[in-house]
Amino acid sequence: MTWDEYATAWSALHGGFDPRRASVLVRGWLRLAFVLGRPLGRLGVPPTAVTVAGLLICACVPLVVLADRTAGPLAGAALVLLAGVADSVDGAVAVTSGRASRLGHLYDSVADRLGEAAWLAAFWAAGAFGWLVVVAGALSWLHEYVRARASVAGMREIGVVTVGERPSRVSVALVGLLLTGAGALITTELAAGTATLAVVVWVLFAGYGLCQLLAAVRRALA
């Protein structure tokens, strides 16, 4: 399968959004997933195995932060990056090997939400306010819930790519944990403040993204 063939198949599975017309960052990320996923598909690796591996990596993020408040956030950031790659690669494996299915898409979505909960738990472990972490998780969950219900209601296109999508959450978790780790090298108070600020950014992105999505759904279903 060539990149163009993969992009066409990927677009059909994602509401018609063509990755070849995406931003340089998104296009490059998806192309990296294609490059990594194609050989795994040829080897017969099941896409669900990659999904489970990514979820297990996510589960380790809050554990390493709890284990070491200084080096833990930096290790957690590396795990978030690895999990983000796995999240993209499982879809590439499914598409390039012809194993893409609705059930696999469901598993992937559930794993994404659980993984994001683990990242937010890592910020809580680093000192962020618990209620703020819950708000961040709720807004991200609501974002995905609205998109899913809009699809059931008849919105066939993707509608809009908001600022609160999955790549933004990966970026906030990655950069937030890196900065939290840097702050922890100075004082634990600075680490806690940085973790809280990262969750605030997550909330702002998720809240604004939800407003963007609701506006797009209203236009599509009006």
Side-chain angles (χ1 to χ4, degrees):
M1 178 177 282
T2 65
W3 161 248
D4 284 332
E5 292 171 336
Y6 172 76
T8 300
W10 189 94
S11 176
L13 294 171
H14 294 82
F17 179 73
D18 191 344
R20 290 165 293 193
R21 298 180 180 178
S23 65
V24 175
L25 181 61
V26 174
R27 187 169 64 249
W29 181 265
L30 292 176
R31 188 144 195 167
L32 173 63
F34 166 70
V35 170
L36 295 175
R38 183 169 57 176
L40 292 178
R42 288 174 177 172
L43 291 173
V45 176
T48 304
V50 182
T51 301
V52 172
L55 180 57
L56 292 176
I57 293 171
C58 289
C60 291
V61 176
L63 297 180
V64 297
V65 175
L66 284 171
D68 189 337
R69 297 297 181 89
T70 302
L74 296 176
L79 291 175
V80 168
L81 178 60
L82 188 59
V85 172
D87 178 47
S88 295
V89 169
D90 62 358
V93 171
V95 173
T96 57
S97 63
R99 297 183 182 182
S101 67
R102 289 178 293 182
L103 189 59
H105 180 69
L106 174 63
Y107 290 155
D108 184 58
S109 296
V110 172
D112 287 349
R113 303 293 80 74
L114 292 175
E116 290 165 8
W119 301 344
L120 288 169
F123 284 119
W124 171 76
F129 297 117
W131 66 266
L132 189 60
V133 167
V134 171
V135 170
L139 286 173
S140 294
W141 174 84
L142 189 57
H143 184 288
E144 299 301 331
Y145 179 77
V146 168
R147 174 158 280 150
R149 297 308 301 173
S151 177
V152 173
M155 190 176 80
R156 299 306 174 200
E157 69 279 2
I158 196 170
V160 63
V161 179
T162 76
V163 298
E165 303 288 352
R166 170 78 171 176
S168 296
R169 298 168 209 156
V170 175
S171 300
V172 172
L174 174 60
V175 175
L177 286 172
L178 280 174
L179 295 177
T180 299
L185 296 176
I186 303 174
T187 65
T188 55
E189 291 78 10
L190 182 58
T194 305
T196 300
L197 181 59
V199 180
V200 168
V201 172
W202 184 309
V203 168
L204 292 175
F205 277 16
Y208 186 66
L210 179 60
C211 292
Q212 287 180 299
L213 180 59
L214 288 172
V217 169
R218 185 176 184 279
R219 288 193 299 269
L221 299 181

